[in-house]
Amino acid sequence: MPEQDADGLIVAHYGVAVGVRTETGETVKVRVRRRSGHVVGDRVIVREGVLERLPRRSELRRLDNNGEVRLVASNLDVLGIVIAPLPLSAESFLDRAIVTARATGMEPFLVLNKSDLEGSDELAAEMSTRYGDLMPLFPVSAVDGIGLDALIGFFAEGRRGAFVGTTGVGKSSIMNVLCPDIDLAVGEINEVTGLGRHTTTVSTLHSLPGGGELIDTPGFRDFGLAEIEPAELGGWFPGFESVVAEGCRFRNCLHRSEPGCGLTAAVGSGAVPETRRASYLRILEELEEHQARLPRRKD
Ligand code: GDP
Ligand code: ZN
C-alpha cells in the first residue's frame, strides 16, 4: 500500500534518516540524502517517502570547528541564554547570542541559573540594568528547583526554544528538569574537546509535559553570525534601540568614529555606557573578519 501524504515535523536527525512526527502523533523514520539540508524543527510534507520542506520562520546556526556556518535547527520561537554566577559569561558572548537570536527570527530571553549560589543577586541586578526592559529574565536553580515554574509557564504558552550558554552554567541540568525524557549527562563536558559523554551531534526535539517544546543542540559551540551585514549590527544590538531610531548622519554608519554618529553622541551624554560600545565594537570586528574570510562571490 502506498504511503499517504502527511504533514509532519522533524523531531530527530540520524544522518541518513530523519524522524518525522506526523499529525497523528506517531514518529516515522524517513530516509534522506546525507546532505539533505533538513534539520530538526523543519515542517515537511511526506509524499511517497520523499520530504518536501515548508518555508522556515527562523534558523539557528552555529560555527563548526572549521569556522563554517552550519544550520542546527529551525522554526524556533525563543532562544534561552543561560548564565550563572559561576562560570560567568563574557558580556560580548551574551550580546552575540542576543544579536544572533534577533537577526534570525528568535526572541531572546535570559535564564539566570544557580540562583542558590552567592553572587546571583548582584548578577540579576546587573542583568536587569543592562537588558531589563528588552527581554524576560528568569532566575532559577536547577538544583534547588527555585523559579522553575515561571520558566515552565513561559514554554507552556506554546513556545519552542533551545538553550545556549557557556559550558558549566547548567544547560543540561535545566533541560533534565524541564524535560524528564531527555536525560543528559551533567558536568561531564571534556574541557579540551568540548564534547560530553554523549558524542552525538544530532539535535532532537522534545515536547515538555506542561506544553511547549525544547530542542537539544549537543555540540553547540558558537553562533554563526555570518549572514549579518556589519551595517545592520547596530540595529540588532541590545540597548542601541533609541540610538538607531534617532539615526546617524550616514545611513550605513558603523558607529565607529563617523561624523554625526548617534552612538558617539549617546556615549558622550552618558545615555549609553562605554562598556556597551566596547562590546558592540568587538562583535563588529568579528563580523568584519568573518566577512573578509568568506570566499568571493563569482559573478
Ligand atoms: P552545561 O555545561 O551548561 O550543560 O552545565 P551542566 O548542566 O553540565 O552543569 C554544570 C555543573 O553545574 C554541574 O556540576 C551541575 O551539577 C552544576 N549545576 C547545575 N545547575 C545548578 C544549580 O542550579 N545550582 C548549583 N549550585 N549548581 C548547579
Ligand atoms: Zn552611527
Side-chain angles (χ1 to χ4, degrees):
M1 204 173 78
E3 281 179 62
Q4 285 198 317
D5 290 4
D7 279 2
L9 174 69
I10 297 185
V11 294
H13 202 304
Y14 313 103
V16 293
V18 293
V20 179
R21 193 169 72 201
T22 62
E23 282 164 327
T24 59
E26 60 171 347
T27 300
V28 294
K29 245 186 193 183
V30 180
R31 293 189 68 85
V32 292
R33 280 179 293 115
R34 188 158 276 284
R35 298 202 173 273
S36 66
H38 296 302
V39 291
V40 166
D42 275 340
R43 288 187 309 131
V44 291
I45 298 172
V46 190
R47 199 166 275 148
E48 289 173 8
V50 177
L51 297 186
E52 183 187 324
R53 181 162 67 233
L54 299 176
R56 295 172 176 143
R57 66 174 184 275
S58 70
E59 294 186 332
L60 179 63
R61 301 187 196 91
R62 71 174 172 92
L63 294 178
D64 69 12
N65 288 338
N66 304 320
E68 290 191 23
V69 179
R70 296 216 179 278
L71 191 60
V72 176
S74 72
N75 296 325
L76 284 94
D77 306 300
V78 288
L79 187 69
I81 302 156
V82 183
I83 55 172
L86 197 78
L88 276 174
S89 304
E91 183 166 342
S92 63
F93 177 90
L94 304 183
D95 291 325
R96 200 182 300 117
I98 292 165
V99 164
T100 302
R102 288 176 162 183
T104 53
M106 295 173 263
E107 182 198 328
F109 68 102
L110 293 168
V111 180
L112 196 166
N113 189 36
K114 309 196 190 184
S115 53
D116 55 292
L117 294 186
E118 228 175 280
S120 73
D121 290 346
E122 290 81 352
L123 182 60
E126 191 188 334
M127 289 302 116
S128 27
T129 308
R130 201 191 298 159
Y131 304 117
D133 300 336
L134 305 173
M135 67 200 77
L137 168 74
F138 297 94
V140 303
S141 167
V143 166
D144 287 0
I146 304 168
L148 291 171
D149 286 348
L151 187 56
I152 290 168
F154 183 68
F155 278 100
E157 286 165 17
R159 294 182 171 93
R160 176 186 299 159
F163 292 119
V164 296
T166 312
T167 299
V169 292
K171 298 178 297 295
S172 312
S173 306
I174 294 171
M175 281 192 262
N176 282 338
V177 284
L178 291 189
C179 190
D181 77 326
I182 288 192
D183 191 24
L184 299 173
V186 165
E188 303 200 20
I189 305 288
N190 181 318
E191 297 291 344
V192 178
T193 63
L195 294 174
R197 195 175 55 185
H198 297 232
T199 47
T200 52
T201 50
V202 294
S203 303
T204 44
L205 184 143
H206 305 264
S207 297
L208 303 187
E213 290 162 331
L214 205 55
I215 292 182
D216 175 30
T217 58
F220 192 100
R221 288 196 183 75
D222 215 331
F223 309 97
L225 274 167
E227 279 153 76
I228 303 173
E229 288 294 324
E232 285 175 7
L233 178 63
W236 302 116
F237 197 82
F240 286 11
E241 290 79 5
S242 63
V243 172
V244 170
E246 279 168 34
C248 304
R249 185 178 306 164
F250 302 113
R251 220 177 348 133
N252 57 354
C253 187
L254 294 175
H255 319 302
R256 210 174 236 135
S257 50
E258 294 91 334
C261 173
L263 182 62
T264 307
V267 172
S269 74
V272 169
E274 180 61 53
T275 49
R276 301 304 294 141
R277 170 158 66 183
S279 178
Y280 165 82
L281 290 176
R282 195 167 153 180
I283 297 174
L284 180 65
E285 260 159 48
E286 283 174 17
L287 267 185
E288 289 175 334
E289 260 171 46
H290 190 87
Q291 291 229 328
R293 271 189 276 121
L294 287 181
R296 275 223 192 99
R297 270 236 311 269
K298 293 192 195 93
D299 291 312

